[in-house]
Amino acid sequence: MNGLFIKILSLVAAMYFALPPCAFADDSIPEAEADIPVISCLTCSPGADIYELEGHSALRIKSREADYVVNWGLFDFDSPNFVYRFVKGECDYMAGAIPTDRFIHYYAANGRQVFEQTLDLTPLQTADIIAAVQTNLLPQNRTYRYNYVKDNCATRILNLIESTAPDTLSLAPAHIPVVGQSPSFRSVMSHYHASYPWYQFGIDLALGSGIDYPISTAEAAFAPVLMQPILQKATIGGKPLVAKSEIISPGYDVTLPPTPWYLTPMAVFSLLFIIAALITWFDILRRKISRWFDALIFSVFGITGLVLAFLVFVSTHEATSPNLLILWLNPLCLLVPACLWSAKGRSFLIFYQFLNFAAICAMIILLPVMNQTVNLAIIPLVATDIIRSLSYIYISRCERKRKNLYRIRYSA
């Protein structure tokens, strides 16, 4: 979303919330018949972009004077150093308001369904939510530190409802489409990212065991498409939270079709492993290392390791550390292309490859202990690393024995 659109949203919000709270009531009629605003939760179906794959949540506030939607999912991609701050865990999102008809028109134009759940709230809770929204939309309050699974457009709404509830908010477990295991943040994301395997592969590389523990019903609401059924079964003091549900704007599946199997990370990396195995076999036969191949592979590993090290040791994202993949993908991989081309460097690499192989073995042992789930497409990559490391050790030792034998014969 560009900066101009954000400024427009902020202006609209200011126009609405410059009104005093009493603007929602009509003093010309008895208090009992005053217009009490109706609050509902809007859930938008998943979109085609990667940040839309779990849908979107917003809060609708409708009264006699106004009908607008408040949401906490605004960001300015053009802001300075956006990508760097996002990776570092310092990405800020904003709250904003927009007339309901414009909100619905935007999602309808993109083919995305808008589902409305009218909340059965007491007048006091309604007033409390509106007051909280007014405060949240003030310029000094509308920006917040975004967290993909702990603080986003859906969790903000659920927390707002819970904090203003006159009684305990009870959340009944909703169906979570994860087969064969207890749901975790990672498994939920994997389900909704099924057609985007490269995106999920990146998530699985970047995020460690912090997203692999079994999540509660409230935590599952981080995904707007899951918060919808969770709210549907929710109760406050034994009374259903949702009074009415309806589709106010139809839609269709706008996500991308499934990625062809031959373009998935597993297929691509499996092909890479086959190529590495053939090159390794050829290298063993001729007792010589294909330095160009190792330089290429370990350069990619090393550059990826730099990003991973940044996420583990610098980023403030709570889910990026611990990440056992750092034992395999780390900046030390860059030693291989740096040392391959000199005799002294190649001698040092024997020690490095022993260390590398030991680190990979440690990672394989510790992953189930630390309960970290890895993407299956990592397997052929790790296997490629292992066979190249072992082949380097084997061929280097064979070459050293050959030279020693030649030296002995020459001396004799």
Side-chain angles (χ1 to χ4, degrees):
M1 181 177 296
N2 59 41
L4 178 59
F5 188 39
I6 291 174
K7 291 178 181 178
I8 294 175
L9 288 177
S10 301
L11 179 60
V12 172
M15 292 171 59
Y16 276 120
F17 293 99
L19 298 174
C22 62
F24 289 105
D26 187 348
D27 293 335
S28 63
I29 57 177
E31 183 177 353
E33 300 177 10
D35 177 32
I36 299 176
V38 176
I39 298 178
S40 57
C41 181
L42 303 183
T43 303
C44 308
S45 61
D49 292 326
I50 57 176
Y51 57 85
E52 300 172 332
L53 295 179
E54 281 93 24
H56 180 52
S57 295
L59 206 61
R60 181 182 184 181
I61 301 177
K62 183 180 180 180
S63 69
R64 186 176 302 173
E65 288 78 18
D67 185 2
Y68 54 94
V69 173
V70 180
N71 89 94
W72 286 261
L74 306 180
F75 63 92
D76 185 2
F77 192 80
D78 295 327
S79 62
N81 303 314
F82 178 86
V83 174
Y84 171 79
R85 289 186 292 105
F86 185 86
V87 173
K88 194 174 183 295
E90 297 178 351
C91 180
D92 292 332
Y93 270 43
M94 291 170 284
I98 189 172
T100 299
D101 57 348
R102 295 186 186 179
F103 181 88
I104 295 176
H105 174 75
Y106 171 80
Y107 286 95
N110 286 276
R112 298 172 64 182
Q113 181 192 90
V114 180
F115 189 85
E116 182 174 31
Q117 295 169 292
T118 302
L119 306 182
D120 187 7
L121 308 175
T122 65
L124 179 59
Q125 187 179 10
T126 299
D128 287 343
I129 289 178
I130 292 175
V133 168
Q134 287 178 327
T135 301
N136 206 176
L137 285 171
L138 294 174
Q140 65 269 28
N141 298 331
R142 67 190 184 98
T143 300
Y144 70 98
R145 185 56 48 85
Y146 175 79
N147 184 302
Y148 185 64
V149 296
K150 295 293 182 67
D151 197 355
N152 61 25
C153 65
T155 62
R156 286 253 154 178
I157 292 174
L158 185 62
N159 292 338
L160 185 61
I161 295 172
E162 184 174 21
S163 65
T164 58
D167 207 334
T168 302
L169 174 65
S170 299
L171 302 176
H175 172 66
I176 299 178
V178 177
V179 180
Q181 58 181 323
S182 300
S184 64
F185 289 121
R186 194 189 304 270
S187 63
V188 171
M189 287 186 281
S190 296
H191 174 79
Y192 291 105
H193 302 167
S195 295
Y196 298 70
W198 287 98
Y199 175 52
Q200 185 59 40
F201 178 78
I203 288 177
D204 290 337
L205 275 185
L207 303 184
S209 56
I211 61 170
D212 287 313
Y213 64 86
I215 57 176
S216 65
T217 300
E219 288 174 316
F222 85 95
V225 288
L226 286 181
M227 189 171 77
Q228 175 189 328
I230 288 173
L231 289 183
Q232 197 67 33
K233 295 182 178 182
T235 60
I236 296 180
K239 183 181 70 173
L241 172 64
V242 176
K244 182 178 67 172
S245 302
E246 60 180 327
I247 297 174
I248 59 175
S249 179
Y252 53 92
D253 186 1
V254 299
T255 58
L256 296 179
T259 300
W261 68 268
Y262 52 85
L263 294 179
T264 61
M266 176 60 82
V268 172
F269 297 145
S270 295
L271 178 60
L272 175 64
F273 172 73
I274 293 172
I275 293 172
L278 292 174
I279 292 176
T280 300
W281 177 252
F282 181 68
D283 287 353
I284 291 175
L285 289 179
R286 66 193 182 108
R287 296 291 193 272
K288 191 175 182 180
I289 297 291
S290 295
R291 290 182 291 178
W292 63 270
F293 185 75
D294 283 353
L296 176 62
I297 290 296
F298 283 92
S299 290
V300 175
F301 287 167
I303 293 171
T304 307
L306 285 172
V307 177
L308 203 60
F310 180 87
L311 290 172
V312 171
F313 300 113
V314 179
S315 175
T316 57
H317 277 297
E318 61 186 53
T320 59
S321 183
N323 186 347
L324 289 174
L325 295 182
I326 194 69
L327 293 173
W328 160 53
L329 286 179
N330 55 71
L332 293 179
C333 295
L334 293 173
L335 290 174
V336 176
C339 298
L340 268 174
W341 307 101
S342 67
K344 292 183 179 179
R346 290 197 297 271
S347 299
F348 168 77
L349 283 182
I350 296 178
F351 170 76
Y352 166 77
Q353 294 294 16
F354 271 115
L355 183 63
N356 181 45
F357 180 71
I360 292 176
C361 291
M363 179 192 74
I364 294 173
I365 294 172
L366 290 174
L367 280 173
V369 176
M370 295 291 291
N371 194 36
Q372 181 172 339
T373 303
V374 298
N375 195 297
L376 293 180
I378 291 174
I379 295 175
L381 286 177
V382 174
T384 298
D385 193 326
I386 289 175
I387 63 172
R388 292 311 295 172
S389 294
L390 292 180
S391 68
Y392 186 89
I393 295 171
Y394 174 76
I395 294 173
S396 296
R397 290 175 69 88
C398 289
E399 177 66 16
R400 180 175 297 179
K401 288 181 180 180
R402 186 188 66 81
K403 288 182 178 180
N404 289 338
L405 182 60
Y406 176 79
R407 187 179 300 110
I408 292 171
R409 288 178 178 178
Y410 181 78
S411 299

